[in-house]
Amino acid sequence: MPIVRNLGRAARQLLQSSGCGCGVSLVPVRGIGVSPRQVASDASFHSVTFSESDHPRVLITGGLGQLGVGLAKLLRKRFGKNNVILSDIRKPADNVFYSGPFIFADILDYKNLREIVVNNRITWLFHYSALLSAVGEANVPLARAVNITGLHNVLDIAAEHNLRLFVPSTIGAFGPTSPRDPTPDLCIQRPRTIYGVSKVHAELMGEYYHYRYGLDFRCLRYPGIISADSQPGGGTTDYAVKIFHDAIKTGKFKCYLRPDTRLPMMYIDDCLKATLEVMEAPAESLTMRTYNISAMSFTPEELAQEVQKYIPELQMTYNVDQVRQAIADSWPMNFDDSNARRDWGWKHDYDLPELVTTMFSYLGSDSRIAQAN
């Protein structure tokens, strides 16, 4: 130990007596990396760009949620299996684990997350870790930690290492005082859930980091997302997923929203396509950092009518959950996504009839439809 101390003392003396007279001082190891936590006021960052022969190195946080696995599959097909790392704090199913790289990543552990980015030379980061609307209301402290503190860690690391960062937002980022039909990209946002508040915070912080530090931040406000290969995860729009599972298994569905509750929705393939398209869009084509995207808008009653074309005996009943209903009543009925369609060519593929056909095809309801017929 005396030897180490003597070496350190000698190094400091050498640097301080530099022949150029610069007065160089030693900095701590953490200071070697540049981060908004310690950056000078006039610093600037620039996003990594790729040649046609290069592929981004991708990390997906919260990857075992509704969207992460599907996004990883799409990106691996595009950029190569080993260039896309899926991560979460939960143990993945065998089919997910063996489909490509998977690692443990806790977004509340700044040091661990930073090491993952450095050791794997990450250049794109998709930040999907979040507690959804109804789950967040049941545990506000945890939602605040995951949705806000975790975001801060991701923002700092993304800026420090020049990442292109995608953070999803939501229809839940709007509130009862927002225009609902349609809801434009820029309007008053006063959500009444911790989930919505955290997403408005994410939108504004990402925009701030873009203008303050040059971070290449990109964000889409998702409508309710419907997919066949994942179970409902506690969101207010999850009834539109559960109805298919219950219709096939039991022929009955009890909905927790009123039959006339209209909300914007999207099939997962459209959602993933939009996410990749906005990430690949040239920076000069983006006139804003956060865009609405939309595909369709329907009520539980309209969805049930479409489902009954395949399972006529479906019995639809309603047992309104006042908490979720209040959340839905504060959200947009229709999204105005004209800016996304103009700036980077967004165009959806699935309307309600195509959505229902695809869901039943994927879930394998042939036997039940045959019985109904």
Side-chain angles (χ1 to χ4, degrees):
M1 289 303 292
I3 295 174
V4 174
R5 284 195 294 269
N6 290 336
L7 286 173
R9 189 178 302 113
R12 281 192 293 272
Q13 292 172 352
L14 181 62
L15 285 169
Q16 289 168 356
S17 62
S18 172
C20 67
C22 300
V24 179
S25 61
L26 285 176
V27 295
V29 174
R30 177 68 184 273
I32 293 174
V34 181
S35 168
R37 301 186 183 207
Q38 63 208 39
V39 71
S41 60
D42 60 348
S44 160
F45 295 94
H46 302 281
S47 174
V48 174
T49 57
F50 306 98
S51 70
E52 291 182 357
S53 61
D54 291 331
H55 288 314
R57 292 278 297 169
V58 179
L59 174 67
I60 304 172
T61 68
L64 296 184
Q66 183 186 24
L67 298 175
V69 174
L71 180 64
K73 182 178 180 180
L74 175 66
L75 296 180
R76 285 167 178 165
K77 186 175 181 181
R78 184 65 169 268
F79 301 130
K81 175 180 176 179
N82 292 325
N83 285 321
V84 180
I85 301 174
L86 200 61
S87 72
D88 209 303
I89 60 172
R90 296 177 291 157
K91 184 170 68 173
D94 286 349
N95 65 308
V96 174
F97 183 77
Y98 292 110
S99 64
F102 180 92
I103 58 175
F104 174 90
D106 181 355
I107 60 165
L108 297 179
D109 187 339
Y110 178 88
K111 182 177 182 293
N112 172 250
L113 192 61
R114 192 168 180 254
E115 288 175 350
I116 290 171
V117 167
V118 171
N119 291 343
N120 294 282
R121 300 183 299 113
I122 298 301
T123 55
W124 283 16
L125 199 160
F126 293 82
H127 179 51
Y128 278 108
S129 296
L131 265 65
L132 301 182
S133 55
V135 176
E137 290 306 290
N139 194 339
V140 172
L142 180 60
R144 187 175 61 232
V146 172
N147 296 8
I148 295 178
T149 303
L151 169 76
H152 293 174
N153 289 340
V154 167
L155 284 169
D156 283 351
I157 291 168
E160 177 181 359
H161 296 287
N162 303 337
L163 308 186
R164 181 170 295 180
L165 174 63
F166 178 84
V167 178
S169 190
T170 167
I171 55 174
F174 298 97
T177 53
S178 305
R180 299 186 65 210
D181 191 14
T183 302
D185 284 304
L186 300 176
C187 65
I188 189 169
Q189 292 176 259
R190 291 293 184 272
R192 293 185 177 176
T193 66
I194 186 61
Y195 178 58
V197 169
S198 69
K199 287 302 183 182
V200 174
H201 178 77
E203 294 176 13
L204 294 177
M205 287 295 289
E207 186 171 328
Y208 172 76
Y209 268 57
H210 171 70
Y211 289 110
R212 179 68 172 79
Y213 301 113
L215 174 64
D216 191 351
F217 172 85
R218 305 181 184 206
C219 177
L220 296 177
R221 294 192 188 105
Y222 291 157
I225 304 301
I226 301 172
S227 64
D229 57 355
S230 62
Q231 293 296 317
T236 300
T237 59
D238 278 352
Y239 84 87
V241 176
K242 196 171 189 303
I243 186 174
F244 292 97
H245 293 274
D246 288 5
I248 292 171
K249 291 177 182 177
T250 68
K252 300 177 182 179
F253 179 64
K254 183 181 291 185
C255 184
Y256 49 75
L257 297 180
R258 290 193 314 267
D260 62 345
T261 305
R262 182 172 300 279
L263 292 168
M265 300 283 188
M266 179 178 287
Y267 185 58
I268 188 170
D269 285 9
D270 275 339
C271 174
L272 299 178
K273 182 181 80 165
T275 302
L276 178 56
E277 286 180 354
V278 76
M279 283 293 277
E280 291 188 318
E284 60 271 16
S285 71
L286 304 179
T287 61
M288 54 187 64
R289 292 291 110 188
T290 299
Y291 289 90
N292 292 343
I293 54 168
S294 186
M296 66 193 90
S297 183
F298 55 76
T299 67
E301 186 175 40
E302 291 169 351
L303 178 58
Q305 291 171 356
E306 199 67 33
V307 169
Q308 286 168 340
K309 294 179 182 179
Y310 292 81
I311 303 181
E313 79 276 22
L314 172 67
Q315 298 177 23
M316 184 83 161
T317 58
Y318 297 89
N319 182 19
V320 176
D321 178 336
Q322 296 302 326
V323 173
R324 291 188 181 188
Q325 186 64 56
I327 292 173
D329 288 342
S330 71
W331 284 356
M333 299 169 65
N334 285 287
F335 257 164
D336 176 2
D337 62 354
S338 56
N339 287 320
R341 294 176 185 269
R342 179 199 66 213
D343 287 359
W344 43 276
W346 161 239
K347 183 179 180 181
H348 71 278
D349 293 326
Y350 292 83
D351 290 311
L352 181 56
E354 292 82 7
L355 163 71
V356 173
T357 299
T358 303
M359 288 291 287
F360 278 126
S361 175
Y362 190 97
L363 292 172
S365 60
D366 293 343
S367 60
R368 187 163 187 81
I369 293 173
Q371 291 175 3
N373 292 334

